[in-house]
Amino acid sequence: MSKNSKMPTDDSLTWHGITLYGQIDGGLTYLSHGAPLSPTAGTGVNYLIAKNSNRSYFGFGANGFAGSYIGLKGKQDIAGDLAAVFKLETAFNPQSGLLSDGLRSIVQNNGVPIDRQNSFADSAKAGQAFNVAAYGGLNSPTYGTLTYGRQAALTSEAVAAYDPMANSSAFSVVGYQGATGGGGDTENRILDNSLKYASSFGPVRGAVQAQIGSGPNAGRRSAVQAQVGGGYLGLSVDAIFSQVDGAVSASPLPFPLPNGLPTNVGNGLVAATVSDNTSYMFVAKYATGPVKFFGGYEHIQFANPKTPLNPGDFISGGYAIGSVSNNSFSTDRVLQIFWTGATYEARSDLDLKLAYYHEEQNSYRGAPGPNFNAGRCSNARLAQCSGQLDALSFLMDYKYSKHMDVYAGIMWSQVSNGLASGFLQRSTIDPTVGLRYRF
């Protein structure tokens, strides 16, 4: 090696096996139909068309590409190839400095007419000190990895690995809308009190994860997931089964506020729709030269919960239920999500990404019986009617340096029929430019 050659440098912030890491992501965005910026919602604004998307917005766009977070992780050798590992990570909003707290953004819109609401989004990140991860365990290249604590669901990890837009908020439906990664509801993208085991045997890999109860002040949810997959040459595939009982989808309390709200408010009250969710996910990607192709499909079935929840019960982050629906699915709701796309490494420092997303909902109005077909519908009159969501996105990611990316992209999204019920507008576009800094 010549004296002018430079050795690769490790500039990670590591001390005695413990690494401090993080990133910050922010920029400018324009929404043709949006809502005002939220200080607590994880994305700040509604990049995807939402019920309260009503007027144009131009201003700061938070966490559009990869999110903002800070964390600690560590690895300590124990014996042979066995090591102890841990991870603590929390996401924050660069526009306010507050921890990401989707449920707080919902509470702030309680009793507010829909055309006057700020942006909000339900989320597994609900203001916890470590709202992304807090787990530890054992790792061995021979025997696999066993971890326990607050950690991402297997379905969430699959979305991050198989989304052509890399799980971004501003350019990906499955990144912004956490229901895909949560097996039906976004609050299940990260599971408290969960035990996870993952291992690989040659080209074949597998994993299982179980959550038995969400813990104190977090509801009576339980979840089981199992994954099997493998890779060969440039092809990678995975299949995941998920069963989540007591899943909660949170939204603002209506205008005007209902009477008789519980006095046990916790960190704040929300309206909750409770369900037992069963999902199947199939994902694949293939790399050839500078091009990678991606595809995914998930089938989610929502049923009325076997164990109902009540007003005053706690859910994620210590928030409480103000009003509840335990019987929204007399007929099971079925939501199917499809996505496909590709990335092209135009240069070593420039990636181009293109993706398409589609959601399809059945008509689940009424209870099964001889008159069920007469109740079916395919319009926007009711949320139980069959409906569709479509989105198309493009992104350019310029890797300015090892630690900094500059990106520019756009997503068009549109809802129709039942998935457009109650929406003020049916479509939006979100041209966005931003910068991500990592350490």
Side-chain angles (χ1 to χ4, degrees), residues 304-394:
N304 286 337
K306 293 184 288 291
T307 303
L309 296 181
N310 301 303
D313 285 348
F314 284 107
I315 57 173
S316 294
Y319 289 87
I321 295 175
S323 64
V324 63
S325 173
N326 291 298
N327 56 0
S328 295
F329 308 107
S330 299
T331 296
D332 288 358
R333 178 193 181 204
V334 175
L335 181 66
Q336 299 179 82
I337 302 107
F338 312 80
W339 70 91
T340 187
T343 65
Y344 172 61
E345 187 180 32
R347 301 184 328 206
S348 61
D349 59 355
L350 179 63
D351 289 339
L352 306 178
K353 302 173 182 285
L354 181 68
Y356 170 70
Y357 305 87
H358 177 75
E359 292 185 357
E360 190 77 29
Q361 173 184 278
N362 70 324
S363 174
Y364 60 99
R365 181 188 178 197
N371 297 320
F372 174 64
N373 285 334
R376 290 188 176 183
C377 52
S378 57
N379 52 55
R381 185 168 58 90
L382 296 171
Q384 296 93 334
C385 295
S386 63
Q388 299 77 32
L389 180 148
D390 292 280
L392 184 65
S393 58
F394 174 75

Side-chain angles (χ1 to χ4, degrees), residues 121-137:
D122 194 8
S123 177
K125 302 167 189 172
Q128 302 93 335
F130 300 106
N131 56 29
V132 176
Y135 65 82

Side-chain angles (χ1 to χ4, degrees), residues 142-143 197 199-206:
T142 303
Y143 299 105
Y197 174 71
S199 188
S200 58
F201 307 91
V204 180
R205 58 182 171 264

